[in-house]
Coordinates of all heavy atoms in Angstrom, one line a residue:
D1 N -14.4 -13.0 -3.3 CA -14.8 -11.8 -3.9 C -13.8 -10.6 -3.5 O -13.4 -9.8 -4.3 CB -16.2 -11.3 -3.6 CG -17.2 -12.2 -4.3 OD1 -16.8 -13.0 -5.2 OD2 -18.4 -12.2 -3.8
L2 N -13.5 -10.6 -2.1 CA -12.6 -9.6 -1.6 C -11.1 -9.8 -2.2 O -10.5 -8.9 -2.6 CB -12.4 -9.7 -0.2 CG -13.7 -9.2 0.6 CD1 -13.6 -9.5 2.1 CD2 -13.8 -7.6 0.5
L3 N -10.7 -11.0 -2.3 CA -9.4 -11.3 -2.9 C -9.4 -10.9 -4.4 O -8.4 -10.3 -4.9 CB -9.0 -12.8 -2.8 CG -8.6 -13.2 -1.4 CD1 -8.3 -14.7 -1.4 CD2 -7.4 -12.5 -0.8
A4 N -10.4 -11.1 -5.1 CA -10.6 -10.8 -6.5 C -10.5 -9.3 -6.6 O -9.8 -8.7 -7.6 CB -11.8 -11.4 -7.1
D5 N -11.1 -8.6 -5.7 CA -11.2 -7.1 -5.8 C -9.9 -6.4 -5.4 O -9.7 -5.3 -5.7 CB -12.4 -6.6 -4.9 CG -12.6 -5.1 -5.1 OD1 -13.0 -4.7 -6.3 OD2 -12.4 -4.3 -4.2
Y6 N -9.0 -7.2 -4.6 CA -7.9 -6.5 -4.1 C -6.9 -6.0 -5.3 O -6.2 -5.1 -5.1 CB -7.1 -7.5 -3.3 CG -6.0 -6.8 -2.5 CD1 -6.3 -6.1 -1.3 CD2 -4.7 -6.8 -2.8 CE1 -5.4 -5.4 -0.6 CE2 -3.7 -6.2 -2.1 CZ -4.0 -5.5 -0.9 OH -3.1 -4.8 -0.2
K7 N -7.2 -6.5 -6.4 CA -6.4 -6.0 -7.6 C -6.6 -4.5 -7.8 O -5.7 -3.8 -8.4 CB -6.7 -6.8 -8.9 CG -8.1 -6.5 -9.5 CD -8.3 -7.4 -10.7 CE -9.8 -7.1 -11.2 NZ -10.0 -7.9 -12.4
N8 N -7.8 -4.1 -7.5 CA -8.1 -2.6 -7.5 C -7.3 -1.8 -6.6 O -6.9 -0.7 -6.9 CB -9.7 -2.4 -7.4 CG -10.4 -3.0 -8.5 OD1 -10.0 -2.9 -9.7 ND2 -11.4 -3.8 -8.1
N9 N -7.0 -2.4 -5.4 CA -6.1 -1.7 -4.5 C -4.7 -1.6 -5.1 O -4.1 -0.5 -5.1 CB -6.1 -2.4 -3.2 CG -5.5 -1.7 -2.0 OD1 -4.9 -0.6 -2.2 ND2 -5.3 -2.4 -0.9
V10 N -4.2 -2.8 -5.6 CA -2.9 -2.7 -6.2 C -2.8 -1.7 -7.4 O -1.8 -1.0 -7.5 CB -2.5 -4.1 -6.6 CG1 -1.3 -4.2 -7.3 CG2 -2.5 -5.1 -5.4
A11 N -3.9 -1.7 -8.1 CA -3.9 -0.7 -9.3 C -3.7 0.7 -8.8 O -3.2 1.6 -9.6 CB -5.1 -0.9 -10.1
L12 N -4.1 1.0 -7.6 CA -4.0 2.4 -7.0 C -2.7 2.6 -6.4 O -2.5 3.8 -6.0 CB -5.1 2.6 -6.0 CG -6.5 2.6 -6.7 CD1 -7.6 2.7 -5.6 CD2 -6.7 3.9 -7.6
Y13 N -1.8 1.7 -6.2 CA -0.5 1.9 -5.6 C 0.2 3.1 -6.2 O 0.7 3.9 -5.5 CB 0.4 0.6 -5.7 CG 0.1 -0.5 -4.8 CD1 -1.1 -0.5 -3.9 CD2 1.0 -1.4 -4.6 CE1 -1.3 -1.5 -3.1 CE2 0.7 -2.5 -3.7 CZ -0.4 -2.5 -3.0 OH -0.6 -3.5 -2.0
P14 N 0.3 3.3 -7.5 CA 1.0 4.5 -8.0 C 0.4 5.8 -7.5 O 1.1 6.8 -7.1 CB 0.9 4.4 -9.5 CG 0.7 2.9 -9.8 CD -0.1 2.4 -8.6
K15 N -0.9 5.9 -7.3 CA -1.6 7.1 -6.8 C -1.2 7.3 -5.4 O -1.0 8.3 -4.9 CB -3.1 7.0 -7.0 CG -3.5 7.2 -8.4 CD -5.0 7.2 -8.6 CE -5.4 7.5 -10.0 NZ -6.8 7.7 -10.3
F16 N -1.2 6.1 -4.6 CA -0.8 6.2 -3.2 C 0.6 6.7 -3.0 O 0.9 7.6 -2.3 CB -0.9 4.9 -2.5 CG -2.3 4.2 -2.4 CD1 -2.4 2.8 -2.4 CD2 -3.5 5.0 -2.5 CE1 -3.6 2.2 -2.3 CE2 -4.7 4.4 -2.4 CZ -4.8 3.0 -2.4
Q17 N 1.5 6.1 -3.8 CA 2.9 6.5 -3.8 C 3.1 8.0 -4.1 O 3.9 8.7 -3.5 CB 3.7 5.6 -4.7 CG 3.7 4.2 -4.2 CD 4.0 3.2 -5.3 OE1 3.9 3.4 -6.4 NE2 4.4 2.0 -4.9
E18 N 2.3 8.4 -5.3 CA 2.5 9.9 -5.6 C 1.9 10.8 -4.4 O 2.6 11.8 -4.1 CB 1.6 10.1 -6.8 CG 1.7 11.6 -7.3 CD 3.1 12.1 -7.6 OE1 4.0 11.3 -7.9 OE2 3.3 13.3 -7.4
Y19 N 0.9 10.4 -3.7 CA 0.4 11.1 -2.6 C 1.5 11.2 -1.5 O 1.8 12.3 -0.9 CB -0.9 10.5 -2.1 CG -1.4 11.3 -0.8 CD1 -2.2 12.4 -1.0 CD2 -1.0 10.8 0.4 CE1 -2.6 13.0 0.1 CE2 -1.5 11.5 1.6 CZ -2.2 12.6 1.4 OH -2.7 13.3 2.5
F20 N 2.1 10.1 -1.2 CA 3.1 10.1 -0.2 C 4.3 11.0 -0.6 O 4.9 11.7 0.3 CB 3.6 8.7 0.1 CG 2.7 8.0 1.1 CD1 1.9 7.0 0.6 CD2 2.6 8.3 2.4 CE1 1.0 6.3 1.5 CE2 1.8 7.7 3.3 CZ 1.0 6.7 2.8
R21 N 4.7 10.9 -1.9 CA 5.8 11.8 -2.4 C 5.5 13.2 -2.3 O 6.3 14.1 -2.0 CB 6.2 11.4 -3.8 CG 7.0 10.1 -3.9 CD 7.6 9.9 -5.2 NE 6.6 9.7 -6.3 CZ 6.0 8.6 -6.6 NH1 6.4 7.5 -6.0 NH2 5.1 8.5 -7.5
T22 N 4.2 13.5 -2.7 CA 3.9 15.0 -2.8 C 3.5 15.6 -1.5 O 4.0 16.7 -1.2 CB 2.6 15.1 -3.8 OG1 2.9 14.6 -5.0 CG2 2.2 16.5 -3.9
H23 N 2.8 14.9 -0.6 CA 2.2 15.4 0.6 C 3.0 15.1 1.8 O 2.9 15.8 2.9 CB 0.8 15.2 0.8 CG -0.1 15.7 -0.3 ND1 -0.5 17.0 -0.5 CD2 -0.7 15.0 -1.5 CE1 -1.1 17.1 -1.6 NE2 -1.3 16.0 -2.2
R24 N 3.8 14.0 1.7 CA 4.6 13.6 2.9 C 3.8 13.6 4.2 O 4.2 14.3 5.1 CB 5.9 14.3 2.9 CG 6.7 14.1 1.7 CD 8.1 14.6 1.8 NE 8.8 14.2 0.6 CZ 10.0 14.5 0.4 NH1 10.8 15.1 1.3 NH2 10.7 14.0 -0.7
P25 N 2.7 13.0 4.4 CA 2.0 13.0 5.6 C 2.7 12.2 6.7 O 3.5 11.3 6.3 CB 0.6 12.3 5.3 CG 1.1 11.3 4.2 CD 2.1 12.1 3.3
P26 N 2.5 12.5 7.9 CA 3.1 11.6 9.0 C 2.7 10.2 8.8 O 1.5 9.9 8.6 CB 2.4 12.2 10.3 CG 2.0 13.6 9.9 CD 1.6 13.5 8.5
T27 N 3.7 9.4 8.7 CA 3.4 8.0 8.3 C 4.2 7.0 9.2 O 5.3 7.2 9.4 CB 3.9 7.7 6.9 OG1 3.2 8.6 6.0 CG2 3.6 6.3 6.5
L28 N 3.5 6.1 9.8 CA 4.1 5.0 10.6 C 3.6 3.7 9.9 O 2.4 3.4 9.8 CB 3.6 5.1 12.0 CG 4.0 3.9 13.0 CD1 5.5 3.8 13.0 CD2 3.3 3.9 14.3
A29 N 4.6 2.9 9.6 CA 4.4 1.4 9.1 C 4.9 0.6 10.0 O 6.1 0.6 10.3 CB 4.8 1.3 7.7
V30 N 4.1 -0.4 10.7 CA 4.6 -1.4 11.5 C 4.4 -2.7 10.7 O 3.4 -2.9 10.1 CB 4.0 -1.4 12.9 CG1 4.4 -0.2 13.7 CG2 2.5 -1.5 12.9
W31 N 5.4 -3.5 10.8 CA 5.4 -4.7 9.9 C 6.0 -5.9 10.5 O 7.1 -5.8 11.2 CB 6.3 -4.2 8.8 CG 5.9 -4.7 7.4 CD1 6.2 -5.8 6.7 CD2 5.1 -4.0 6.4 NE1 5.7 -5.9 5.4 CE2 4.9 -4.7 5.2 CE3 4.4 -2.7 6.5 CZ2 4.2 -4.3 4.2 CZ3 3.6 -2.4 5.5 CH2 3.6 -3.2 4.2
G32 N 5.5 -7.0 10.2 CA 6.2 -8.4 10.6 C 7.2 -8.6 9.6 O 6.9 -8.8 8.4
K33 N 8.5 -8.6 10.0 CA 9.5 -8.7 9.0 C 9.5 -10.2 8.4 O 10.1 -10.4 7.3 CB 10.9 -8.5 9.6 CG 11.4 -9.5 10.6 CD 12.8 -9.1 11.0 CE 13.4 -10.2 12.0 NZ 14.8 -9.8 12.4
N34 N 8.8 -11.1 9.0 CA 8.8 -12.5 8.5 C 7.4 -12.8 7.9 O 7.0 -13.9 7.6 CB 9.0 -13.5 9.6 CG 10.3 -13.2 10.4 OD1 11.3 -12.8 9.8 ND2 10.3 -13.3 11.7
D35 N 6.6 -11.8 7.5 CA 5.3 -11.9 7.0 C 5.5 -12.6 5.6 O 6.2 -12.2 4.7 CB 4.7 -10.6 6.7 CG 3.3 -10.6 6.2 OD1 2.8 -11.6 5.7 OD2 2.5 -9.7 6.5
P36 N 4.8 -13.8 5.5 CA 5.0 -14.5 4.1 C 4.2 -13.9 3.0 O 4.4 -14.3 1.9 CB 4.5 -15.9 4.5 CG 3.5 -15.7 5.6 CD 4.0 -14.5 6.4
F37 N 3.4 -12.9 3.2 CA 2.5 -12.3 2.2 C 3.0 -10.9 1.8 O 3.1 -10.6 0.7 CB 1.0 -12.3 2.7 CG 0.6 -13.7 3.1 CD1 0.3 -13.9 4.5 CD2 0.1 -14.6 2.2 CE1 -0.1 -15.2 4.8 CE2 -0.3 -15.8 2.5 CZ -0.5 -16.2 3.9
F38 N 3.1 -10.1 2.9 CA 3.5 -8.7 2.6 C 5.1 -8.6 3.1 O 5.3 -8.5 4.2 CB 2.6 -7.7 3.4 CG 1.3 -7.7 2.9 CD1 0.3 -8.5 3.5 CD2 1.0 -7.0 1.6 CE1 -1.0 -8.5 2.9 CE2 -0.4 -7.0 1.2 CZ -1.4 -7.7 1.9
L39 N 5.9 -8.6 2.1 CA 7.4 -8.7 2.4 C 7.9 -7.4 2.8 O 7.3 -6.3 2.5 CB 8.1 -9.2 1.2 CG 7.6 -10.6 0.6 CD1 8.3 -10.9 -0.7 CD2 7.7 -11.6 1.6

């Protein structure tokens, strides 16, 4: 059910991106460069 619902998160990406462009909040993203799921 959670995986099925994740499409709603993806659908909101444009709104998240607009928020970051408009408001530029302090942002730190730490990432596994070899993550097979989130590239």
